[in-house]
Amino acid sequence: MAADETGVLIAGLGPVGAALAALLARRGVKTIVCERETEIYRLPRAAHFDAEIMRLFQQLGIADAMLAHSRPVGGYDFINAAGEMLMQFAAAPETAQGWASGYLFHQPALEALLRDRLTALNVETLTGWALTDFDDDGDGVTATLSDGHATRIIRAAFLIGCDGANSFVRKTLGIALDDYGFDEPWLVVDTVMPDESHLKPHGVQLCDPARPVTIMPMSPGRRRWEFMLLPGETPEEMMAPGKVEALMAPHMGAGNVEIVRRAVYRFHGLVAKDWRRGRVILAGDSAHQTPPFAGQGMCAGLRDAANLAWKLALVVEGKAAMSLLETYQIEREPHARGFIELAIAMGKVVCLQDTEAAAQRDAGMIARHKAGGAATLPPPPGLAAGCLHPSPRAGELAPQFGRFDDGRAESAWLLHRGGAAQADGVEAVDIRGLAQWEAWLGAQPAALIRPDRYVFGTGTPDDLAAAWRRSTGG
Ligand SMILES: Cc1cc2nc3c(=O)[nH]c(=O)nc-3n(C[C@H](O)[C@H](O)[C@H](O)COP(=O)(O)OP(=O)(O)OC[C@H]3O[C@@H](n4cnc5c(N)ncnc54)[C@H](O)[C@@H]3O)c2cc1C
C-alpha cells in the first residue's frame, strides 16, 4: 500500500492536537491529524482558561469568537461549611497579556471553533481513523491508521501523540508516568440554566468535610457542579436517577436547571517520564494530567502546542537541528509541574474529610484571609532553562500592549531601537516611540521574543541574532 507523506502526523483531535495542527499549518508545515472518534467529545471537561491561552487564541484568529462563548472570571472563593470565607482569589479584567486573567467557557464550543480553523487552513483531518501502529526508523515515522474496516499508511517526519490521558502513543513507547499520589473520585455535572441571577457569579469551592463541592460558572447560561465521592460511594450510585438533583438541591435555590452531562472522574496528578523518543513526541494530557482545581490541564497542553509548533516547523523545514526539540521537555515539564503542584495544594485544602483537621484548617485560613484579604493567583511561572539567551527577562512571557500581536509575523521578533541585525526568520520591530515597550526594555537595547511569545533574551541586536542562530542550531 502506498503511504501518504506528510511533515507532521498528529494523533488526536482534542484541543491540543487541533491547536498544534493549526499552528503548524499557519507556518506552512504539511500536517495530517487522525482522530479515533467521529464526533467532538461530549462529556464535561475544561471550564477555565487563562490570559496566555486567550493570547494564543488571538494568534489562531478565534479570540473574538471565544469571547462570545465565554465570560471573564469574576473571582474564586474557597468557603467552609458555615459559609465563611477561607481564601479568595481576585480576577483581573486586564493583564500584561492584553486579556483578562481568566475566562470561563464550554470545551466543546472551543473544539468546534478549532476544527473550523483547520478546515479554513486546509488541514487534512481524518476523523473516525485511529492510530493503531507506528514505527520510527530514525529518518521518519511510518504510521498505520484504521477506521475499523480499512487501513491507511502515513509516512511522517514526526508523529505527535495528542491522544489524551490513555495515550496509545505513550503506552506503545512504554513510557512510565510519575504519579503525585493524589487520587480523588469526583462526580462532574454540567447544567444549562436560563436564569442564574440567584447564584454567585464567582467560582466556589465549598470546603465542607461532609461533602466537598465545586460550583463554577461556565459560558453564559452554563454552570459546572462537582461533588466529591465519599468513602464507599460508587460511580454507579452517583450516576443513579435522582442522585444529581438531590446533591444540587441544597445549593440551587430557585430556578430551572437542565442537567446536560455527567461523569465520574478520578482527579490525579501524573507526568510522563519522557515526552519525546526520537521522532515521536507527546503533548497535552498524554504527557501530563492535573487535578482541575486550578483549571489548567488544557492550558498546559495548549502551552505544549505553542512551544512545540515553532520548533517542529524549523526542524521540518531544515532550518534548525533536531537538538532544538530537546528543549521542549526541558522547558515545558517544570512549568506543567508547577501548575500540577498548585492544583494538588488547592485539592488538599478542598478534599479534607476529617472534621477536626477541617476545623483547624478553617481557623488558620479565616484568620489569614481576614488579615490579608483577597489574594491573586501567582503569575504563571516563566521558563528556567532551554532555548534561552542568559540575560535579563530571558524566559519571561513577553507582555502584549493593546493588540500588538495582531498582524505580526508568526516568527520570532527582534524588538529594537534602531540598528537591528538581520537574522533569518526573525521580524525586526522598531519600538522607538512605543512608550510601553521602551519602558519595558529599560536600559536594554533590544529583546528577542520567541514565536511562542516567551523572551529569548535581551542585549544588543547583533548578540541576540547570533545567539538565536546558535540556539536554534540553524
Ligand atoms: C472534570 C474536568 C475538568 C477540567 N477542567 C479544566 C479547566 O477548567 N481548565 C483546563 O485547562 N483544563 C481542564 N480540564 C482538562 C482538559 O479537559 C484536558 O486537559 C484536555 O481536554 C486535554 O486535551 P488533549 O487534547 O490533550 O486530550 P483530549 O481532549 O483527551 O483529546 C485526545 C483525543 O485523542 C483521541 N484519540 C485517543 N486515542 C487515539 C488514537 N489511537 N488514534 C487517534 N485518536 C485518538 C481521542 O478520541 C481524543 O479526541 C478538565 C478535565 C476534567 C476531566
Side-chain angles (χ1 to χ4, degrees), residues 275-465:
W275 295 22
R276 180 173 80 94
R277 290 268 172 86
R279 291 179 172 271
V280 184
I281 302 174
L282 304 178
D285 273 19
S286 65
H288 44 75
Q289 294 150 49
T290 176
F293 301 105
Q296 282 289 342
M298 180 193 75
C299 297
L302 292 174
R303 288 185 179 97
D304 295 346
N307 187 291
L308 204 46
W310 64 272
K311 294 176 183 173
L312 268 176
L314 287 176
V315 174
V316 169
E317 288 163 2
K319 292 182 180 159
M322 276 283 272
S323 57
L324 180 61
L325 297 175
E326 282 163 20
T327 64
Y328 166 59
Q329 182 173 0
I330 290 171
E331 292 177 357
R332 287 293 311 134
E333 182 179 349
H335 201 280
R337 282 186 184 273
F339 277 116
I340 294 171
E341 287 159 18
L342 173 69
I344 289 176
M346 287 177 166
K348 284 184 176 162
V349 169
V350 176
C351 298
L352 211 55
Q353 289 171 66
D354 179 299
T355 45
E356 255 178 54
Q360 275 180 17
R361 169 200 68 192
D362 291 1
M365 290 184 74
I366 289 168
R368 279 196 295 280
H369 176 68
K370 282 193 174 144
T376 44
L377 276 168
L383 305 177
C387 180
L388 300 173
H389 177 54
S391 52
R393 296 204 178 278
E396 285 178 17
L397 188 56
Q400 174 176 218
F401 302 115
R403 296 281 174 270
F404 182 81
D405 297 1
D406 282 346
R408 294 202 181 277
E410 310 260 323
S411 63
W413 305 330
L414 183 62
L415 306 182
H416 66 92
R417 293 183 165 116
Q422 295 295 315
D424 189 29
V426 176
E427 184 191 18
V429 185
D430 189 339
I431 52 108
R432 283 174 293 185
L434 302 177
Q436 287 166 308
W437 277 117
E438 293 223 47
W440 179 81
L441 259 185
Q444 296 297 327
L448 200 143
I449 312 295
R450 308 184 337 171
D452 56 12
R453 305 305 160 231
Y454 282 82
V455 180
F456 171 69
T458 51
T460 67
D462 282 338
D463 285 351
L464 287 169

Side-chain angles (χ1 to χ4, degrees), residues 12 15-16 35-36 45-48 107 131 162-163 285 295 297-299:
V16 177
E35 164 57 50
R36 188 180 55 192
R45 295 199 297 170
H48 164 268
Q107 185 168 338
L131 175 75
C162 298
D163 50 347
D285 273 19
M298 180 193 75
C299 297

Side-chain angles (χ1 to χ4, degrees), residues 51-363:
E52 182 183 349
I53 299 304
M54 190 54 134
R55 188 176 180 186
L56 178 67
F57 294 156
Q58 178 189 355
Q59 187 183 356
L60 289 171
I62 60 167
D64 289 332
M66 275 311 289
L67 277 181
H69 283 291
S70 59
R71 58 179 136 182
V73 174
Y76 193 20
D77 299 347
F78 287 59
I79 58 174
N80 69 2
E84 295 163 295
M85 189 68 75
L86 302 179
M87 178 163 73
Q88 190 171 38
F89 292 108
E94 179 87 29
T95 66
Q97 292 305 298
W99 295 97
S101 54
Y103 296 85
L104 300 161
F105 80 117
H106 179 52
Q107 185 168 338
L110 166 66
E111 294 195 36
L113 282 174
L114 286 169
R115 288 184 185 202
D116 288 349
R117 288 303 296 147
L118 294 183
T119 306
L121 289 161
N122 289 320
V123 176
E124 190 174 354
T125 54
L126 304 170
T127 51
W129 286 87
L131 175 75
T132 55
D133 195 17
F134 60 88
D135 175 51
D136 175 1
D137 60 22
D139 292 327
V141 182
T142 303
T144 308
L145 314 186
S146 167
D147 69 351
H149 309 285
T151 54
R152 262 177 104 135
I153 307 293
I154 295 184
R155 176 78 180 163
F158 290 93
L159 167 67
I160 318 298
C162 298
D163 50 347
N166 294 315
S167 172
F168 167 77
V169 175
R170 188 189 66 234
K171 287 178 182 166
T172 304
L173 292 172
I175 295 175
L177 290 169
D178 181 21
D179 189 341
Y180 275 86
F182 184 90
D183 183 20
E184 297 292 351
W186 282 67
L187 171 67
V188 183
V189 181
D190 281 356
T191 60
V192 171
M193 304 176 74
D195 178 13
E196 46 181 357
S197 53
H198 57 294
L199 292 173
K200 266 194 170 191
H202 290 190
V204 175
Q205 291 289 355
L206 174 58
C207 306
D208 179 357
R211 169 85 71 191
V213 177
T214 306
I215 307 171
M216 194 62 73
M218 301 170 75
S219 51
R222 291 183 183 271
R223 197 160 287 248
R224 160 76 47 81
W225 307 73
E226 297 175 0
F227 303 93
M228 186 171 156
L229 272 65
L230 303 178
E233 282 180 334
T234 63
E236 294 71 33
E237 74 189 272
M238 299 305 276
M239 300 287 277
K243 182 70 178 180
V244 170
E245 292 79 351
L247 287 168
M248 283 172 55
H251 313 287
M252 260 300 296
N256 288 334
V257 61
E258 184 195 345
I259 295 165
V260 287
R261 309 182 299 174
R262 63 187 90 184
V264 173
Y265 287 103
R266 299 200 77 88
F267 291 170
H268 46 206
L270 302 168
V271 180
K273 302 246 191 230
D274 298 314
W275 295 22
R276 180 173 80 94
R277 290 268 172 86
R279 291 179 172 271
V280 184
I281 302 174
L282 304 178
D285 273 19
S286 65
H288 44 75
Q289 294 150 49
T290 176
F293 301 105
Q296 282 289 342
M298 180 193 75
C299 297
L302 292 174
R303 288 185 179 97
D304 295 346
N307 187 291
L308 204 46
W310 64 272
K311 294 176 183 173
L312 268 176
L314 287 176
V315 174
V316 169
E317 288 163 2
K319 292 182 180 159
M322 276 283 272
S323 57
L324 180 61
L325 297 175
E326 282 163 20
T327 64
Y328 166 59
Q329 182 173 0
I330 290 171
E331 292 177 357
R332 287 293 311 134
E333 182 179 349
H335 201 280
R337 282 186 184 273
F339 277 116
I340 294 171
E341 287 159 18
L342 173 69
I344 289 176
M346 287 177 166
K348 284 184 176 162
V349 169
V350 176
C351 298
L352 211 55
Q353 289 171 66
D354 179 299
T355 45
E356 255 178 54
Q360 275 180 17
R361 169 200 68 192
D362 291 1

